[in-house]
C-alpha cells in the first residue's frame, strides 16, 4: 500500500513537471536582458525578453517579438536548449503513459506483477532522462544569455522550467525506487503451500509407527 501511494505521488509530480517543461518550451520569457541598468532600461522602455524561439521587446505599450528563424546562425546554447527542451516535451508523453499503465488500479489482461514493475521502472527512467534535459537547458541558457548580452533577471518561463525539472526529478526517483520486485510474497506463498502439504504426508508415517509399536 505504501509503494502504491508513493508511486501515485511520483506520477502526479512527474505529470505536473512535464506540463511545466512544456510551458517553458512554448513561451519566450526565459531571461530579461538590458544594455544598461534596470532603472535606465525601464525609463527608456528597452527591456528585452529572450527565449528559445524569439527575442521580445517589453514596454508599457508594446510587446513585440522577432522570431529566431536563422537556425544555423544562432548561438550554440540556444540550439542545444531548443533540442533538449523539445526532446523533454516529447519523452514526457510515453513516460507518463507507461507509469499510468503500471498503476495497481489498472490491469491489462492477466499480466503478472513483474511486468508492471518493469514498465514502471522504464517510465521512471524516461522521466529522469526528461529531467536531465531540463536541467541542462535551464542552467546553460541563462549563462549563455549573460555572456552574450548581460543578464538582468530571470523570466517566468525559466522558473517554470526549473519547477518542472525539479518535479520530474523527484517524481522519477520515487517511481523508480517504488517499482522494485519484492520476493517476500513468493516466500510466504511457498511456506503456506508446504505447511498445507506437510500434515498430509505425516498421517501414513504415524500410522505405520503405531502398528509397529503394537506388534
Amino acid at each position: 500500500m505504501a509503494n502504491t501511494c508513493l508511486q501515485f505521488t511520483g506520477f502526479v509530480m512527474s505529470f505536473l513537471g512535464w506540463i511545466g517543461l512544456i510551458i517553458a518550451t512554448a513561451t519566450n520569457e526565459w531571461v530579461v536582458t538590458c544594455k544598461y541598468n534596470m532603472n535606465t532600461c525601464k525609463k527608456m522602455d528597452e527591456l528585452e525578453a529572450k527565449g528559445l524561439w524569439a527575442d521580445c521587446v517589453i514596454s508599457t505599450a508594446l510587446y513585440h517579438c522577432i522570431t529566431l528563424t536563422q537556425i544555423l546562425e544562432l548561438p550554440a546554447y540556444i540550439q542545444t536548449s531548443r533540442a533538449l527542451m523539445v526532446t523533454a516535451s516529447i519523452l514526457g508523453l510515453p513516460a507518463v503513459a507507461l507509469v499510468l499503465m503500471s498503476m495497481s488500479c489498472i490491469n491489462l489482461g492477466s499480466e503478472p506483477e513483474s511486468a508492471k514493475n518493469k514498465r514502471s521502472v522504464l517510465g521512471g527512467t524516461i522521466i529522469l532522462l526528461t529531467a536531465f534535459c531540463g536541467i541542462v537547458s535551464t542552467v546553460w541558457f541563462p549563462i549563455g544569455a549573460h555572456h552574450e548580452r548581460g543578464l538582468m533577471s530571470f523570466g517566468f518561463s525559466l522558473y517554470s522550467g526549473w519547477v518542472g525539472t525539479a518535479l520530474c526529478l523527484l517524481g522519477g526517483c520515487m517511481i523508480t525506487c517504488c517499482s522494485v520486485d519484492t520476493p517476500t510474497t513468493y516466500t510466504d506463498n511457498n511456506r503456506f503451500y508446504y505447511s498445507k502439504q506437510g500434515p498430509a504426508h505425516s498421517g501414513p508415517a504415524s500410522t505405520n509407527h503405531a502398528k509397529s509399536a503394537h506388534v
Side-chain angles (χ1 to χ4, degrees):
M1 184 63 182
N3 283 347
T4 302
C5 294
L6 290 175
Q7 186 183 27
F8 180 75
T9 303
F11 167 75
V12 174
M13 294 176 65
S14 301
F15 180 77
L16 295 177
W18 176 48
I19 297 299
L21 290 176
I22 292 177
I23 293 174
T25 305
T27 53
N28 290 310
E29 292 189 16
W30 279 54
V31 295
V32 178
T33 60
C34 181
K35 298 179 181 179
Y36 314 103
N37 59 56
M38 183 63 72
N39 293 328
T40 303
C41 288
K42 287 183 177 180
K43 291 179 181 179
M44 299 176 62
D45 286 340
E46 289 189 5
L47 283 177
E48 297 180 359
K50 189 174 185 63
L52 297 177
W53 313 101
D55 287 343
C56 301
V57 178
I58 304 175
S59 64
T60 55
L62 178 66
Y63 188 89
H64 177 68
C65 294
I66 300 176
T67 305
L68 302 176
T69 56
Q70 303 295 331
I71 299 177
L72 298 179
E73 297 179 1
L74 294 175
Y77 74 93
I78 296 181
Q79 297 185 24
T80 305
S81 298
R82 274 186 181 184
L84 290 175
M85 291 301 291
V86 171
T87 302
S89 300
I90 294 175
L91 288 178
L93 180 59
V96 169
L98 286 171
V99 176
L100 181 61
M101 289 188 298
S102 65
M103 302 294 289
S104 59
C105 58
I106 297 178
N107 294 322
L108 301 178
S110 59
E111 63 177 359
E113 190 67 23
S114 59
K116 282 190 173 185
N117 290 332
K118 292 178 181 179
R119 189 159 56 239
S120 182
V121 169
L122 179 59
T125 304
I126 298 177
I127 291 174
L128 290 177
L129 182 60
T130 300
F132 174 76
C133 294
I135 290 174
V136 176
S137 300
T138 55
V139 170
W140 193 5
F141 190 92
I143 294 175
H146 175 70
H147 287 300
E148 183 182 10
R149 295 187 181 182
L151 176 64
M152 295 302 299
S153 63
F154 303 129
F156 80 92
S157 301
L158 194 61
Y159 287 116
S160 176
W162 282 338
V163 173
T165 298
L167 289 176
C168 285
L169 184 62
L170 293 176
C173 291
M174 293 176 65
I175 292 170
T176 305
C177 294
C178 295
S179 303
V180 180
D181 290 332
T182 54
T184 55
T185 55
Y186 301 101
T187 304
D188 294 339
N189 292 334
N190 290 335
R191 288 178 180 174
F192 179 71
Y193 175 77
Y194 291 138
S195 64
K196 289 181 64 178
Q197 295 296 330
H201 296 287
S202 62
S206 60
T207 304
N208 294 333
H209 180 71
K211 287 183 179 179
S212 60
H214 177 72
V215 173

